[in-house]
Amino acid sequence: MNRNIFIQQLSFGLILIFLFACNSSTSDDKKVDNEKGQKNTFFDEVDLGAFGSDTKLFLNARFSECGEWGGHEEKMIVFAKSDKEFYLNYQKFKVNCDSIGDYYGTPEFQKLELQKTIKLNQDNKKSISEYIERMAKSKIEERFPGHAGNSFSVVKSDSSLIINVYDSKQYDFESYNKLLMELNLPLISQKKQ
């Protein structure tokens, strides 16, 4: 009988040792797990142009500082090059609300004010992904603003992602400005109508 108790206790002890050994991890293991969790899988160079694909991600914003006539536009194009790195082309246009009646609908209405290309780092990619998540949330809460709202869009050129938000929520304006700040681009001041 003593032998059976000894074997049971030994088996139980071995099981406990095995469980603790399997559960323990080094700080290096935890670091690797955290890095895996932080990997941004949205940015895949194959999907965004690195291997000859012409697919791009467009982030556009149109503001309403001229009321129902609209306002200035901003455009961002994200793409990958053959070096498998991601880049962002940024264009900011300006409008003159005082002469809008003369130029509305013509190329002179939107005048290029700033153009810049930046190479995206991991933080920039994370900022863009988080902005896309905020836009998806905003789309769910979108309310039609009448004739004088702001428009924000996220479109992948292969049409696999399309988010277009047209409203007057402060949330969208702040979300866009947060993206600009994180990309070191000039912020937009909100003009009251």
Side-chain angles (χ1 to χ4, degrees):
M1 192 89 163
N2 288 338
R3 184 176 174 189
N4 286 339
I5 292 174
F6 174 74
I7 291 175
Q8 286 177 341
Q9 288 176 343
L10 181 63
S11 298
F12 181 72
L14 289 174
I15 289 172
L16 285 177
I17 291 171
F18 178 75
L19 287 175
F20 283 117
C22 290
N23 248 353
S24 70
S25 63
T26 66
S27 61
D28 288 340
D29 291 338
K30 290 177 184 176
K31 183 178 177 183
V32 169
D33 288 343
N34 284 340
E35 287 173 0
K36 286 180 186 175
Q38 292 176 358
K39 183 172 179 359
N40 192 334
T41 56
F42 179 79
F43 283 88
D44 183 351
E45 62 272 2
V46 174
D47 286 341
L48 290 175
F51 298 112
S53 164
D54 197 28
T55 307
K56 294 174 177 59
L57 178 69
F58 299 95
L59 307 171
N60 297 318
R62 190 186 77 230
F63 298 92
S64 60
E65 63 264 28
C66 302
E68 68 182 53
W69 293 97
H72 86 278
E73 295 179 3
E74 298 195 8
K75 299 178 181 185
M76 297 183 210
I77 302 171
V78 177
F79 59 96
K81 290 185 179 179
S82 58
D83 63 2
K84 298 182 185 175
E85 297 291 337
F86 289 92
Y87 297 85
L88 181 139
N89 284 341
Y90 171 76
Q91 294 180 322
K92 179 179 181 178
F93 297 86
K94 65 179 180 175
V95 296
N96 181 350
C97 294
D98 295 332
S99 64
I100 203 164
D102 297 332
Y103 293 112
Y104 186 74
T106 66
E108 292 84 11
F109 179 62
Q110 297 283 339
K111 296 190 186 264
L112 185 62
E113 179 180 19
L114 175 64
Q115 187 165 347
K116 184 176 183 179
T117 299
I118 59 174
K119 184 177 178 180
L120 298 177
N121 60 34
Q122 291 296 8
D123 289 338
N124 299 145
K125 293 178 198 176
K126 181 180 178 201
S127 295
I128 293 169
S129 293
E130 289 173 350
Y131 175 73
I132 294 169
E133 289 175 12
R134 292 192 303 268
M135 285 296 90
K137 177 185 182 291
S138 182
K139 182 64 179 177
I140 294 168
E141 300 168 356
E142 178 183 46
R143 297 296 174 260
F144 181 69
H147 296 291
N150 297 321
S151 176
F152 302 91
S153 65
V154 176
V155 178
K156 201 168 170 188
S157 63
D158 66 359
S159 299
S160 61
L161 174 67
I162 300 173
I163 303 171
N164 188 25
V165 177
Y166 175 59
D167 65 23
S168 57
K169 292 191 312 275
Q170 186 68 22
Y171 173 83
D172 296 324
F173 186 84
E174 291 170 358
S175 174
Y176 185 75
N177 256 348
K178 180 177 182 183
L179 175 64
L180 292 175
M181 181 184 68
E182 291 170 348
L183 294 174
N184 290 323
L185 295 169
L187 300 181
I188 306 302
S189 63
Q190 189 167 23
K191 298 177 181 175
K192 304 287 181 192
Q193 280 96 33

